[in-house]
Amino acid sequence: MKNLLKTASLLFIYVTISFSCGSAKNNTKSKSISNIKTINTSNNSSETNDFNDLLVNNFRTGAENVKSYLDLLKDKKIGVVTNQTGTIRKFEIIQPNSKDNGSYNVTNINIIDFFIDQKLNIKTIFAPEHGFRGTADAGEHIVDGKDSKTGLPIISLYGDNKKPKPEQLAGIDVMVFDLQDVGARFYTYISSLHYIMEACAENKIQLIVLDRPNPNGSIVDGPILEKEFTSFVGMHPIPLVHGMTIGEYAQMINGEKWLKDGIQCDLTVIPCLNYKRDMNYSLPIKPSPNLPNDQSINLYASLCLFEGTNVSVGRGTETQFQIYGSPFLPKSEFKFTPKPNFGAKDPVYNGKECYGENLTNISKVDKLELKWLLKAYQNTSDKSKFFNSFFTKLAGTKKLQQQIETGISENEIRKSWEKGLSDFKEMRKKYLIY
């Protein structure tokens, strides 16, 4: 290994390093490159056994916690639920130098490519909303297909069936779930998780969830979903912002027996390492086409309620979920005109001038913000056309629309959530990992 460093060969390791994402408050200083034991995993070297001993004081996702799950997958036929967010960081030393620690690159490789590199037997890829490569519009019907890079079959979980059929699971011994969630009840990756867990339970297939941080993990807020408003954008009696990682959430689904007929699946959660719920976690890859950056992810839960109104959240612009507006709000200095783009082939108010508010530079929110929704309703020209039928599904209750329409104050609205939030937080404690 030292000889390789001396000759400045290109060496690759799948590692996590604290300076590539937010770090926990109590993390110690990163080790310098000269002190890092370099491991070549590109040829399935036996040295990968030492992977879990690298940079012990630095954050790693569940996918990067390789030592905890690789043996569970060897000699198994594997199904993988993932998309462009299922990645492992690849660390490349390009100019080793003991004096200045050398230079390096950090890139993200897909979990599928990593599994193939490890000679694992992948049978099928299962893709959620937006598809395996994450390029489809929100709500766009996705068909089954084949991955052009690997040739592996892809089964869509957002097309003809949201739950894998028994014939699509035939021959699979273990299912791996690796998706980046953003912590909002209506973000459909947790709905796909529910159906995957149910299908695994019914077909006696082990499920391994590779955990990832929730970028809004310190926020628990909003109304609790009422059972009669269950849909694919809200499947469980939880608040609009749940403050759990996807691994913790899987444990809750199992523990509360929310699957069909109360069945439970054989679940293993591979935890993140050195992760704190309040750490500042910046996603390395956008989780869906219209969440392009940290600001949009932080504002998503608050602004997504506008999708149940006649107000645009910026689809068809480059600042999706960081602005809002419509032709029916008063003219103002801030305006935008949605046009077709990546992730929005036919956006709301395509080609029409919208007036509203620019939130791209506001401070990070620490709760479900209602002020923009209340302001837009109060200022819209025709309040009878403000809400549409989708709002109740997103809110998970009829009460929020009724409260807004009757002019109840924001404080009173929030007080109506207190009992439900208190009960949820108590239940949630049983399933927290971090």
Side-chain angles (χ1 to χ4, degrees):
M1 188 59 66
K2 291 180 180 178
N3 290 334
L4 288 174
L5 287 172
K6 288 179 181 178
T7 58
S9 298
L10 293 182
L11 301 172
F12 304 103
I13 50 177
Y14 299 102
V15 302
T16 58
I17 50 180
S18 62
F19 43 79
S20 66
C21 69
S23 59
K25 291 180 180 178
N26 63 350
N27 272 3
T28 58
K29 187 176 180 181
S30 302
K31 296 181 182 179
S32 65
I33 291 177
S34 59
N35 292 328
I36 296 173
K37 182 179 180 182
T38 306
I39 294 175
N40 180 359
T41 63
S42 61
N43 61 0
N44 202 29
S45 166
S46 61
E47 290 177 309
T48 55
N49 291 330
D50 294 327
F51 172 86
N52 214 48
D53 299 323
L54 289 171
L55 300 175
V56 294
N57 293 313
N58 291 280
F59 161 80
R60 275 171 278 171
T61 65
E64 292 162 333
N65 187 0
V66 175
K67 193 174 182 180
S68 294
Y69 68 85
L70 209 55
D71 284 346
L72 301 176
L73 301 179
K74 287 180 179 178
D75 303 318
K76 299 287 181 66
K77 296 174 183 176
I78 307 165
V80 186
V81 184
T82 194
N83 61 7
Q84 80 286 352
T85 67
T87 61
I88 287 181
R89 278 165 290 182
K90 186 175 184 178
F91 183 74
E92 176 187 356
I93 298 177
I94 51 179
Q95 288 183 338
N97 185 311
S98 60
K99 192 171 184 179
D100 62 6
N101 292 331
S103 58
Y104 51 85
N105 289 323
V106 178
T107 56
N108 293 287
I109 66 163
N110 192 273
I111 193 75
I112 295 294
D113 296 324
F114 175 68
F115 282 2
I116 290 173
D117 183 62
Q118 295 298 310
K119 312 300 182 187
L120 298 177
N121 185 8
I122 305 171
K123 303 297 290 184
T124 308
I125 299 169
F126 295 86
E129 183 178 6
H130 307 295
F132 174 50
R133 298 298 177 185
T135 57
D137 284 7
E140 182 178 338
H141 183 89
I142 302 171
V143 297
D144 297 343
K146 182 179 288 189
D147 180 42
S148 59
K149 181 177 180 181
T150 63
L152 289 168
I154 300 174
I155 301 296
S156 171
L157 300 179
Y158 202 80
D160 294 330
N161 63 303
K162 293 180 172 63
K163 174 179 168 181
K165 299 173 182 175
E167 58 267 29
Q168 294 170 332
L169 298 172
I172 291 177
D173 301 315
V174 60
M175 185 77 78
V176 176
F177 188 102
D178 187 20
L179 291 174
Q180 176 63 62
D181 188 43
V182 298
R185 186 180 63 218
F186 36 57
Y187 202 65
T188 61
Y189 294 170
I190 57 174
S191 299
S192 293
L193 172 65
H194 173 105
Y195 283 125
I196 284 292
M197 291 179 69
E198 197 167 274
C200 286
E202 291 171 345
N203 292 275
K204 310 299 184 204
I205 295 172
Q206 181 186 12
L207 175 64
I208 297 175
V209 174
L210 305 182
D211 208 6
R212 291 185 178 272
N214 177 351
N216 294 307
S218 60
I219 307 174
V220 181
D221 205 5
I224 303 294
L225 176 94
E226 296 168 7
K227 187 175 182 180
E228 58 266 40
F229 302 112
T230 300
S231 72
F232 197 63
V233 292
M235 298 194 68
H236 309 121
I238 65 167
L240 202 148
V241 191
H242 54 72
M244 304 177 77
T245 68
I246 205 157
E248 292 171 332
Y249 197 83
Q251 293 186 157
M252 179 180 281
I253 292 174
N254 228 24
E256 296 301 312
K257 298 185 178 181
W258 285 338
L259 302 178
K260 183 180 178 182
D261 299 325
I263 57 175
Q264 294 175 299
C265 78
D266 180 1
L267 173 68
T268 300
V269 175
I270 305 300
C272 303
L273 298 181
N274 301 299
Y275 168 61
K276 301 293 183 184
R277 193 173 306 281
D278 60 353
M279 69 187 281
N280 182 26
Y281 182 67
S282 180
L283 301 191
I285 294 174
K286 57 185 179 181
S288 50
N290 289 291
L291 291 180
N293 54 31
D294 293 348
Q295 186 77 340
S296 64
I297 291 166
N298 179 236
L299 294 175
Y300 171 73
S302 300
L303 295 188
C304 193
L305 286 170
F306 277 125
E307 303 266 66
T309 73
N310 64 0
V311 177
S312 164
V313 291
R315 293 183 189 272
T317 74
E318 297 305 311
T319 49
Q320 309 97 315
F321 288 98
Q322 300 154 82
I323 60 176
Y324 72 88
S326 86
F328 308 109
L329 291 174
K331 289 188 177 182
S332 60
E333 289 185 7
F334 178 70
K335 59 184 179 180
F336 62 93
T337 303
K339 296 179 180 179
N341 69 354
F342 177 77
K345 297 182 179 67
D346 186 20
V348 174
Y349 302 129
N350 186 359
K352 295 182 180 180
E353 202 165 70
C354 298
Y355 297 91
E357 197 167 356
N358 184 354
L359 308 176
T360 55
N361 294 315
I362 69 166
S363 299
K364 185 176 180 179
V365 304
D366 59 3
K367 62 182 178 181
L368 177 68
E369 283 288 2
L370 291 177
K371 60 185 177 184
W372 303 305
L373 180 65
L374 296 174
K375 181 179 178 180
Y377 177 77
Q378 291 161 3
N379 292 332
T380 195
S381 56
D382 186 349
K383 293 178 175 54
S384 68
K385 296 180 180 178
F386 185 79
F387 292 104
N388 60 51
S389 60
F390 194 43
F391 186 84
T392 298
K393 284 188 176 182
L394 292 172
T397 174
K398 280 185 177 179
K399 293 174 185 174
L400 182 56
Q401 180 176 338
Q402 292 167 347
Q403 289 168 328
I404 294 171
E405 289 175 333
T406 55
I408 291 178
S409 70
E410 180 176 348
N411 283 340
E412 289 177 292
I413 292 173
R414 291 189 179 280
K415 283 181 181 178
S416 72
W417 301 343
E418 287 179 356
K419 176 64 165 59
L421 286 172
S422 177
D423 291 345
F424 172 77
K425 288 176 181 178
E426 190 62 32
M427 175 182 71
R428 171 178 172 267
K429 288 179 183 177
K430 297 182 287 184
Y431 306 106
L432 297 183
I433 300 171
Y434 315 99

